[in-house]
Every structure is written in structure tokens, then in C-alpha cells.
């Protein structure tokens, strides 16, 4: 943010004896950069007659690059606004408002007449028209002088330039007219522009050597050095990208535990009964595998509260179970008919009823069973440290079915 210095002119006003003879000070369009020539008023933060303090934002100025706040350096009063909000293409230095001291009475304050400035400029214009050949030669001399800088880097000041507010303020403080400044003060700014440092060096407040060093440093960085710039390497082709993708290590496959349990079920048990019983048993085994402690709970060192603190995300499932039941004997077995007596039975006098009783006794001793396969798949959540062990406990618990056949 740029800060515009608004100098207090109280020392000059002390020369006047009567308060009615006090004059307001012209506030020109500020130059917010060395190359700025014109600007616009975006928004006044104070109205005519309002007082302001040092550090207050007086207005927003629009340049060709940005919108910048202009702050007050000293206390004062906004006496009159010449350029309202939205005014554009205002030359640098042209009055946009009048300012006064905080204690000034606006009713008795005298404002400079802008008409007089125009009258003074007219004779200059007529002189230019009358002596056009002389102007051309003068311009050539000025340009030639500006093109031939001295050893210290300064050139003759450009007579057509608009001085910065900081330069104008410094000249007025030291009673130096604009004409004398353009004629006597050497310029180190671009295109023969007088900078504040040039005025300070002319007044002897800073050394010429210090000004020369600053000028040389600025001029050495005026041009962008592109000698160290290197071309960016070409982008990888599609084939190279595919090869790089293929070279990346493959993601590890998730851990899945599989188990097949063979079940020999009596023929009088239906498939629906078997499926319901297995579903209940799988649910119970899964609950126990998640709930039972992994350490020896009979040990004297076992502490259930401490163990719960060590469990990682206790409510999150450690594994997921999927299973299916496969009928290994889909074709029903052939049932023999009632036994018929053979020749030996007839000769021995054995009746058909006796043969049926013998067959029923044999069938009770050798009861037939139906064979099923229970295929179980357990997907382990490897992000949890105890998941694999609990999944293995579940499979081991489920395998106990084979012991009860």
C-alpha cells in the first residue's frame, strides 16, 4: 500500500496576518509509480468539510494496473472535492481536491482559481506556436542530452515531465521553483524524470556517491536476465507413462481365509433345517471370535480394563464371513422294497413279516446319512492388528463341526 505524504503548510500560512487571507492547498492526482501518467478516482472516503487524521485513507486511486489506497500523513480537513467518484484519465499532478488545516474556517478560506492557471498556460502555447522551429531544435537538444548521461548516471531533466508530489513538496519546502529544478537539478529517473533523491543530493542532504550507487543498482536490474533459463524437459510419452505405471509394485491382495467342512447329515434332516442351524452357528462363532480375549484371561496379570484400552477400534468388525452349502448327493438313494422270501426261507418256514422285522433292525443299526460341503470364506481387515488372529480363531471354532459327526 502506498502512502501519500500530505505536508502541513502551517509554516507558510504564518506569513499571513489575516485569517481571511488563508488559502487552501491544491491536492493533485498522486503518482503511484514512476511510470504512472494518468489515473482515476474510484472512491472518496471523506466528504467536503470532513476532517481526517494521519493514517486515514483519503481515497482510492485507480491506475492501469491496480487500485491503491492513498493515506494521509498529517491531520487536515478536506475543503473541496474537484474530481468526483468515477473521474478517469486525470493527469498526474492535476488538482483533484483542496485541503486545509483542521482549524481552518471554510467560509473564510480562499481557494485558488483554476482559471488563472489556464491564463498562464495560454501565452506559453502561443509562444510554442510562434516559435515552432525553435521548439524542434530544443527537443533535439533535450533528447540528445538525455541520451548522453554523465559519469554518475544523471541526465538533464525532461522539461515536459510532471513532477511527483514528493518532489514538489520538497521543492516548495526549500523555496525552489519548478523551472529552476528542471534547469539545475540532474535527473536519474527514467526518461529524465527527477526523483526525490536527486533533489536531496542537490540540496546536499545526501551524498552524490550514495545516489549514484542506488541509480546504478536500479539500472542494472531494469532488464530481465534470461541467460540462466533452461528449457523444460519434454513430457513423457504415453508409452513411457504406461511403462512407468507397469513398473510400479502391485497392490497386495486382501487376506482371505478359506475352509471347506464336510457334513454328514441324517437323511431325515431337510436342507432348510440344516441351513438355519448353520447360519445360527456361524453367527455365534463370529460373535465369540470378536468378543473373546486373545490373551490368557486366567493369568494373574490379566486386566480387562487395560486390555480394552489396547484394542484398536473395538466396535469395528475384524472380518467378514461368506459361505455356501453344497449338496454332494443331489440324486436320492434308491430305496429297496420290502424283502421277499427266497426258497430257503420258504423251506425253513420263515414268514414275510419276520423278514421285514429283521430288515428294520438292520436299518436302525446302519442308518444312512446325506453328505454336504460347507464352503467358508473369511475376508480379513488387515488395517486392524488383531484381525487375522480373530479370523483364524473363528475358522478353528467352525471346524469343530466335523468332530460331532
Amino acid at each position: 500500500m502506498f502512502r501519500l505524504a500530505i505536508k502541513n503548510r502551517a509554516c507558510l500560512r504564518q506569513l499571513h496576518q489575516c485569517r481571511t487571507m488563508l488559502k487552501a492547498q491544491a491536492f493533485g492526482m498522486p503518482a503511484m509509480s514512476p511510470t504512472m501518467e494518468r489515473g482515476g478516482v474510484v472512491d472518496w472516503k471523506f466528504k467536503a468539510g470532513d476532517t481526517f487524521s494521519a493514517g486515514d485513507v483519503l481515497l482510492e486511486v485507480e491506475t492501469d494496473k491496480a487500485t491503491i489506497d492513498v493515506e494521509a500523513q498529517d491531520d487536515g480537513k478536506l475543503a473541496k472535492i474537484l474530481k468526483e467518484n468515477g473521474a478517469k484519465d486525470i493527469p498526474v499532478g492535476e488538482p483533484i481536491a483542496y485541503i486545509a488545516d483542521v482549524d481552518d474556517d471554510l467560509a473564510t478560506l480562499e481557494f485558488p482559481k483554476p482559471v488563472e492557471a489556464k491564463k498562464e498556460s495560454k501565452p506559453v502555447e502561443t509562444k510554442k506556436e510562434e516559435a515552432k522551429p525553435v521548439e524542434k531544435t530544443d527537443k533535439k537538444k533535450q533528447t540528445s542530452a538525455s541520451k548522453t548521461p554523465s559519469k554518475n548516471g544523471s541526465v538533464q531533466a525532461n522539461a515536459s515531465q510532471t513532477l511527483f508530489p514528493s518532489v514538489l513538496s520538497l521543492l516548495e519546502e526549500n523555496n525552489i521553483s519548478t523551472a529552476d529544478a528542471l534547469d539545475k537539478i540532474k535527473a536519474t529517473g527514467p526518461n529524465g524524470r527527477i526523483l526525490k533523491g536527486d533533489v536531496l543530493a542537490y540540496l546536499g542532504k545526501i551524498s552524490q556517491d550514495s545516489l549514484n550507487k542506488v541509480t546504478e543498482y536500479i539500472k542494472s536490474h531494469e532488464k530481465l536476465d534470461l541467460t540462466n533459463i533452461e528449457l523444460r524437459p519434454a513430457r513423457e510419452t504415453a508409452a513411457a507413462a504406461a511403462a512407468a505405471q507397469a513398473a510400479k509394485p502391485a497392490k497386495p491382495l486382501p487376506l482371505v481365509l478359506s475352509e471347506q467342512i464336510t457334513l454328514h447329515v441324517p437323511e431325515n434332516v431337510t436342507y432348510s433345517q440344516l441351513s438355519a442351524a448353520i447360519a445360527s452357528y456361524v453367527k455365534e462363532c463370529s460373535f465369540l471370535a470378536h468378543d473373546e480375549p486373545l490373551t490368557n484371561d486366567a493369568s494373574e496379570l490379566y486386566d480387562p480394563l487395560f486390555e480394552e484400552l489396547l484394542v484398536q477400534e473395538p466396535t469395528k468388525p475384524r472380518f467378514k464371513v461368506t459361505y455356501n452349502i453344497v449338496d454332494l448327493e443331489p440324486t436320492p438313494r434308491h430305496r429297496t422294497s420290502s424283502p421277499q422270501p427266497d426258497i430257503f426261507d420258504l423251506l425253513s418256514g420263515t414268514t414275510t413279516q419276520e423278514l421285514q422285522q429283521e430288515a428294520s433292525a438292520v436299518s436302525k443299526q446302519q442308518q444312512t446319512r446325506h453328505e454336504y460341503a460347507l464352503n467358508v470364506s473369511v475376508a480379513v481387515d488387515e488395517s486392524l492388528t488383531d484381525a487375522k488372529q480373530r479370523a483364524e480363531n473363528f475358522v478353528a471354532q467352525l471346524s469343530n463341526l466335523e468332530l460331532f459327526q
Side-chain angles (χ1 to χ4, degrees):
M1 180 178 295
F2 294 89
R3 186 180 297 270
L4 179 66
I6 301 177
K7 297 294 182 179
N8 194 336
R9 315 283 199 235
C11 58
L12 296 177
R13 294 180 181 176
Q14 290 176 358
L15 299 176
H16 301 279
Q17 297 178 355
C18 181
R19 192 171 185 81
T20 58
M21 297 299 293
L22 294 178
K23 291 185 179 181
Q25 300 297 318
F27 179 63
M29 169 59 69
M32 311 311 294
S33 67
T35 58
M36 177 180 170
E37 296 181 356
R38 294 177 178 271
V41 177
V42 178
D43 182 30
W44 283 98
K45 303 301 182 181
F46 292 87
K47 298 179 181 179
D50 292 346
T51 58
F52 54 84
S53 303
D56 290 345
V57 177
L58 295 179
L59 75 158
E60 291 181 5
V61 173
E62 181 182 21
T63 67
D64 56 346
K65 297 180 180 178
T67 300
I68 306 170
D69 292 342
V70 179
E71 296 182 0
Q73 182 66 24
D74 299 317
D75 299 344
K77 180 184 294 186
L78 187 60
K80 186 177 181 180
I81 296 176
L82 300 178
K83 301 294 183 180
E84 298 292 341
N85 296 342
K88 296 182 179 295
D89 202 27
I90 305 172
V92 172
E94 180 177 329
I96 59 176
Y98 291 114
I99 59 174
D101 284 344
V102 177
D103 299 330
D104 286 348
D105 185 5
L106 299 184
T108 60
L109 195 66
E110 182 179 350
F111 294 94
K113 296 181 180 180
V115 180
E116 295 178 359
K118 292 183 179 179
K119 288 181 179 180
E120 292 176 358
S121 62
K122 284 183 179 179
V124 178
E125 292 179 359
T126 56
K127 288 181 180 179
K128 290 183 179 178
E129 292 177 358
E130 294 173 359
K132 285 184 179 178
V134 179
E135 284 186 358
K136 290 182 179 178
T137 57
D138 291 343
K139 287 183 179 178
K140 289 182 180 179
K141 290 180 181 179
Q142 291 175 1
T143 54
S144 63
S146 62
K147 289 181 180 178
T148 56
S150 61
K151 293 181 179 180
N152 56 14
S154 60
V155 297
Q156 181 65 35
N158 185 0
S160 61
Q161 67 176 296
T162 302
L163 298 178
F164 291 142
S166 58
V167 175
L168 287 172
S169 176
L170 192 58
L171 293 175
E172 188 173 349
E173 286 180 359
N174 294 275
N175 298 323
I176 302 175
S177 64
T178 302
D180 290 342
L182 295 174
D183 183 51
K184 297 178 181 180
I185 299 178
K186 297 297 183 181
T188 59
N191 301 322
R193 183 178 289 275
I194 296 177
L195 304 179
K196 186 176 180 179
D198 301 331
V199 181
L200 293 175
Y202 175 77
L203 296 172
K205 294 184 178 181
I206 63 173
S207 64
Q208 187 65 38
D209 186 36
S210 300
L211 179 62
N212 296 340
K213 290 181 180 179
V214 174
T215 303
E216 290 175 2
Y217 177 80
I218 294 175
K219 288 188 176 182
S220 64
H221 292 78
E222 284 181 348
K223 295 182 180 180
L224 184 62
D225 184 13
L226 303 178
T227 56
N228 296 327
I229 295 180
E230 298 180 358
L231 295 177
R232 185 177 62 182
R235 294 182 179 179
E236 296 182 356
T237 60
Q245 186 67 24
K248 291 182 180 180
K251 293 183 179 180
L253 297 176
L255 178 61
V256 178
L257 305 180
S258 300
E259 185 75 12
Q260 186 180 57
I261 302 172
T262 303
L263 303 176
H264 300 279
V265 183
E267 287 191 346
N268 60 346
V269 178
T270 63
Y271 181 84
S272 59
Q273 291 175 333
L274 177 64
S275 178
I278 290 177
S280 177
Y281 187 68
V282 168
K283 185 176 180 180
E284 181 180 356
C285 291
S286 177
F287 173 78
L288 293 176
H290 280 90
D291 188 62
E292 289 181 347
L294 298 178
T295 57
N296 184 13
D297 56 352
S299 173
E300 296 179 355
L301 302 177
Y302 178 77
D303 185 355
L305 295 178
F306 180 73
E307 295 295 332
E308 288 182 4
L309 294 176
L310 297 179
V311 176
Q312 182 184 7
E313 298 185 44
T315 60
K316 188 176 182 180
R318 269 45 184 170
F319 53 83
K320 293 183 179 180
V321 182
T322 57
Y323 67 91
N324 62 342
I325 304 171
V326 180
D327 189 353
L328 300 180
E329 297 179 2
T331 305
R333 293 185 178 184
H334 176 69
R335 295 181 179 272
T336 57
S337 58
S338 300
Q340 299 294 329
D342 55 10
I343 184 62
F344 299 101
D345 295 326
L346 294 175
L347 295 176
S348 61
T350 304
T351 63
T352 303
Q353 185 177 1
E354 291 175 349
L355 292 175
Q356 290 178 350
Q357 291 177 354
E358 291 179 1
S360 177
V362 172
S363 63
K364 288 181 180 180
Q365 294 177 0
Q366 299 178 352
Q367 185 177 13
T368 57
R369 291 178 175 268
H370 202 83
E371 191 173 11
Y372 294 90
L374 176 61
N375 300 317
V376 183
S377 180
V378 183
V380 182
D381 187 355
E382 294 184 278
S383 64
L384 304 173
T385 55
D386 60 339
K388 183 179 179 181
Q389 186 175 356
R390 292 188 181 277
E392 291 175 349
N393 292 348
F394 167 78
V395 174
Q397 184 73 16
L398 204 64
S399 300
N400 291 335
L401 287 174
E402 292 182 339
L403 302 177
F404 296 95
Q405 302 183 51

